Amino acid sequence: MFHYTVETSKSIEEAIHSLEENLKAEQFGIQWQFNVKETLNNKGYELENPFIVLEVCNPEEAQNILSKNQIIGYFLPCKIVVYKDNEGKTKIGMPKPSALIQMLEDESLQELATDIEKRLIVCIDKSM
């Protein structure tokens, strides 16, 4: 699977707050928060459920990986989404860095992507 997704009993706001704290422990920060529902509604389109995209970054890891292959910048910062599904359940998920990196066909980067993925999964799991 190209993604990792969990369900939480927390509200969207609680999940984001928890993620922010857990990401800090791994030296990741939330660079930007994109409220898709709000943006679409402001443009005259309706999205029924909340959908927030968080762009997260660890500056040291970003510098390290970009110095090896700048094309990886197409994937950065890493995305974590927090949303309500059609059944009203809060979900936290992300595209797996290990799956994205496979598109570059550069085996030397797989280990880095897998390490980052594991750390982000720990943050997501702790935020449930």
Side-chain angles (χ1 to χ4, degrees), residues 82-96:
V82 182
Y83 64 99
K84 290 270 187 197
D85 70 10
N86 291 332
E87 297 172 4
K89 297 176 181 168
T90 303
K91 303 277 181 96
I92 305 170
M94 68 171 185
K96 289 181 175 180

Side-chain angles (χ1 to χ4, degrees), residues 59-115:
E60 181 180 350
E61 296 294 356
Q63 185 276 330
N64 184 24
I65 205 158
L66 283 169
S67 68
K68 295 179 182 352
N69 188 329
Q70 290 181 321
I71 296 295
I72 293 173
Y74 294 8
F75 305 140
L76 298 179
C78 295
K79 310 271 187 293
I80 296 179
V81 297
V82 182
Y83 64 99
K84 290 270 187 197
D85 70 10
N86 291 332
E87 297 172 4
K89 297 176 181 168
T90 303
K91 303 277 181 96
I92 305 170
M94 68 171 185
K96 289 181 175 180
S98 64
L100 295 172
I101 211 81
Q102 287 177 0
M103 290 188 276
L104 296 179
E105 298 177 0
D106 185 341
E107 286 297 318
S108 67
L109 301 173
Q110 192 66 45
E111 188 176 319
L112 284 170
T114 300
D115 177 62

Side-chain angles (χ1 to χ4, degrees), residues 33-47 49-52:
Q33 233 182 89
F34 176 41
N35 185 327
V36 177
K37 178 180 179 169
E38 182 179 285
T39 299
L40 291 177
N41 288 345
N42 289 340
K43 305 250 183 225
Y45 299 94
E46 187 174 329
L47 185 63
N49 298 316
F51 195 96
I52 310 293

